Amino acid sequence: MRERRGDRQVERVVVLALDGVYPFELGIPSRIFGAADGRYEVLTCSVDGEPVRSNADFTIGVQHGPEILATADTVVVASVGVAYIPEELPAEVVAALGRIRPDARIVSICTAAFVLAAAGLLDGRRATTHWHVTDLFRRRYPQVELDPDVLFVHDGRVLTSAGAASGVDVCLHIVRTDHGSELANAVARRCVVPPFRDGGQAQYIEQPVPESGAASTAATRAWALERLDEPLALTDLAAHARMSLRTFARRFNDEVGLSPGRWLIQQRVGRARHLLESSDLPVDRIAVEVGFATGASLRQHLHAAIGVSPQAYRRTFQAAEVR
């Protein structure tokens, strides 16, 4: 239920806490949206207004019952311990979810995708959940197009995310979608978290830390970010890191979870989005600034990443600024 406060619209985010909720994930929406310069109001509820058992050794009191869900512009369902994942939703959970407005945005963090799927909210949609429970999810909900290898999925009005930290990623993605990268980056700085991890990034990286004594690719990534407008080849990156092509590519993927080429595209798309939001530069000029050579190439990569053209993205951001 958006309301105008002063010169801006404030979106209401309601977080639903179920029995077995993970305390960390429950707090993510309040922490991220609460740092967005008053753009969001975050409220927390349970299915009956009573305290809920957490997945830790304490219960959590909430201030609201399920009726508050009917006023939400965005509903976030926080993850629960695997032992609490229901095969069939309890009647009170079904009733609570039934209060959500048809036009409201719905977000699941981690195992809460099971709740949305059990309610039929993911039927025919692409979705994700924690990699550890993907086999169970597929057995229960074959009607859902599960992608177990990504951090989050944005499918229309429904967003699903993977493990704990990806709850931060999907909330930052929402801030970025609603208000642009400048505010999302400011929120990330305030919360001391990475400002942008693309939804398509791998969930699980086998070797997130380089082997003892091994050189890292971090310095080369920083070097590349300062030269996105240049035609950077894998040979250039490997030479800067003073590694062979094979060693560099393997170590890069171990540390980042992406190939160097895919990572470069991701960074260029992110830079292009920032320029579309913060400048009046023509699309062709932005393409050159971020290393995509032509406007056609930028259009192709932006559409592949977020499903819209540069012009449509710029219009969406400008509309968000007006709200």
Side-chain angles (χ1 to χ4, degrees):
M1 187 175 63
R2 291 186 181 89
E3 62 177 76
R4 182 163 288 280
R5 296 182 184 177
D7 61 348
R8 65 179 53 168
Q9 291 255 342
V10 177
E11 176 161 320
R12 174 168 286 182
V13 178
V14 176
V15 185
L16 176 59
L18 301 173
D19 271 346
V21 68
Y22 280 100
F24 175 78
E25 284 89 324
L26 180 62
I28 288 172
S30 179
R31 188 68 184 92
I32 299 299
F33 295 123
D37 291 343
R39 301 278 186 170
Y40 302 90
E41 174 189 37
V42 184
L43 306 174
T44 305
C45 73
S46 65
V47 295
D48 54 9
E50 296 297 319
V52 295
R53 292 173 293 172
S54 75
N55 196 47
D57 62 340
F58 54 86
T59 59
I60 298 172
V62 297
Q63 298 298 311
H64 303 280
E67 64 281 352
I68 201 72
L69 290 164
T71 71
D73 301 300
T74 296
V75 173
V76 180
V77 184
S79 57
V80 298
V82 175
Y84 292 87
I85 295 174
E87 200 151 352
E88 289 189 16
L89 291 181
E92 60 269 24
V93 177
V94 173
L97 295 174
R99 294 174 179 266
I100 301 172
R101 300 198 324 257
D103 61 337
R105 179 165 48 194
I106 304 175
V107 184
S108 69
I109 298 179
C110 194
T111 54
F114 281 79
V115 177
L116 300 192
L121 295 169
L122 299 182
D123 288 359
R125 291 185 182 273
R126 181 168 165 261
T128 194
T129 189
H130 195 286
W131 61 269
H132 189 64
V133 291
T134 53
D135 288 343
L136 175 62
F137 189 98
R138 282 198 176 104
R139 288 197 301 271
R140 287 192 186 178
Y141 308 112
Q143 71 276 24
V144 180
E145 183 186 342
L146 184 69
D147 188 342
D149 298 322
V150 296
L151 295 177
F152 61 85
V153 171
H154 188 167
D155 187 336
R157 71 184 185 96
V158 180
L159 297 91
T160 52
S161 62
S166 63
V168 174
D169 297 319
V170 77
C171 289
L172 283 172
H173 169 75
I174 289 171
V175 175
R176 184 176 292 104
T177 299
D178 290 350
H179 302 292
S181 62
E182 186 173 350
L183 179 58
N185 291 344
V187 170
R189 285 194 299 273
R190 289 165 192 161
C191 298
V192 197
V193 296
F196 179 71
R197 293 201 301 168
D198 181 65
Q201 184 169 324
Q203 271 194 41
Y204 182 64
I205 303 171
E206 290 287 350
Q207 291 177 290
V209 179
E211 298 171 3
S212 178
S216 169
T217 64
T220 296
R221 295 198 302 272
W223 175 82
L225 288 174
E226 296 177 355
R227 294 164 175 79
L228 289 181
D229 59 327
E230 300 177 12
L232 298 171
L234 178 59
T235 51
D236 299 319
L237 300 175
H240 181 271
R242 298 183 180 181
M243 300 179 192
S244 69
L245 289 175
R246 184 175 179 179
T247 298
F248 178 79
R250 175 178 56 81
R251 193 157 294 156
F252 192 101
N253 193 74
D254 286 346
E255 293 178 13
V256 180
L258 297 170
S259 70
R262 186 174 175 187
W263 178 83
L264 272 174
I265 289 172
Q266 184 186 99
Q267 303 311 310
R268 284 172 167 149
V269 167
R271 182 74 57 83
R273 290 173 68 174
H274 176 71
L275 290 173
L276 286 167
E277 297 164 10
S278 61
S279 76
D280 295 322
L281 290 174
V283 170
D284 287 346
R285 180 61 188 170
I286 290 175
V288 172
E289 291 285 332
V290 303
F292 279 137
T294 67
S297 179
L298 170 57
R299 291 181 186 93
Q300 176 186 349
H301 287 296
L302 189 68
H303 193 275
I306 58 176
V308 298
S309 68
Q311 293 87 346
Y313 183 81
R314 179 171 265 166
R315 284 196 301 270
T316 299
F317 172 73
Q318 289 169 345
E321 283 289 276
V322 171
R323 286 207 301 268

